[in-house]
Amino acid sequence: MSVGIDEVEICNTAIGLCGSTDFIQTLTDPDSQSARRCSQFFPTAVKKVLRKHDWNCATDVVLLAENSEAPIFKYDKAFALPVDCIRAINVYSSELGYCSYDRWEIRRRNIHTDMETPYLQYVFVPEDYRELDILLSDTIAGE
């Protein structure tokens, strides 16, 4: 169920916060200076805001698949981050969650660890902005 607002509404909120009334109908209108600016800056604003906090509406947990090539230093295994991962929150060695012995690092969009089956909890870039919490949408608009 979508309860939030889409990217055009988020951009229109930002436009209004700037004191303008040049609201847009779409991000792809080539004749609208506001649409061109929103199209240019919106993706960066989303990523910046998502990296600042563990937004529940934009977090997921996945079991990572091991890369064929192992790290050459410190750890024995490497696992690629999901394509939509904007920030890793934590990596767990089991579905039970946190263990104080779990060790990992991020290197070039890979998780390096000695864990056999790592679970990644992460913040993702949403495909549908209407799924975001309204407070997150407002924070993006204010960015």
Side-chain angles (χ1 to χ4, degrees), residues 4-140:
I5 59 177
D6 67 11
E7 56 268 21
V8 170
E9 293 173 283
I10 295 170
C11 287
N12 280 332
T13 301
I15 291 166
L17 290 172
C18 291
S20 176
T21 57
D22 186 21
F23 298 114
I24 63 174
Q25 300 299 314
T26 177
L27 292 176
T28 58
D29 181 359
D31 298 326
S32 168
Q33 184 176 7
S34 291
R36 288 192 308 272
R37 285 188 177 151
C38 286
S39 182
Q40 179 183 3
F41 296 115
F42 181 74
T44 302
V46 169
K47 290 174 185 173
K48 285 171 65 176
V49 170
L50 287 173
R51 288 187 53 81
K52 291 178 182 179
H53 182 70
D54 302 344
W55 301 95
N56 287 339
C57 59
T59 61
D60 200 1
V61 177
V62 295
L63 178 60
L64 297 174
E66 188 173 352
N67 293 348
S68 58
E69 192 172 318
I72 61 170
F73 177 74
K74 197 172 180 180
Y75 293 106
D76 294 332
K77 300 178 185 303
F79 302 84
L81 288 171
V83 174
D84 64 347
C85 178
I86 192 69
R87 185 170 68 82
I89 298 170
N90 211 336
V91 180
Y92 306 104
S93 58
S94 80
E95 69 275 2
L96 300 177
Y98 179 75
C99 173
S100 61
Y101 297 107
D102 292 345
R103 300 284 185 261
W104 57 278
E105 294 178 358
I106 296 177
R107 297 280 179 248
R108 294 186 171 205
R109 298 225 20 105
N110 289 285
I111 299 287
H112 289 193
T113 185
D114 291 328
M115 296 179 216
E116 293 295 322
T117 54
Y119 291 83
L120 171 68
Q121 181 183 20
Y122 72 103
V123 178
F124 62 87
V125 177
E127 291 181 19
D128 183 356
Y129 293 99
R130 293 172 295 183
E131 297 295 325
L132 299 179
D133 184 274
I134 191 68
L135 295 177
L136 173 53
S137 297
D138 281 351
T139 303
I140 294 167

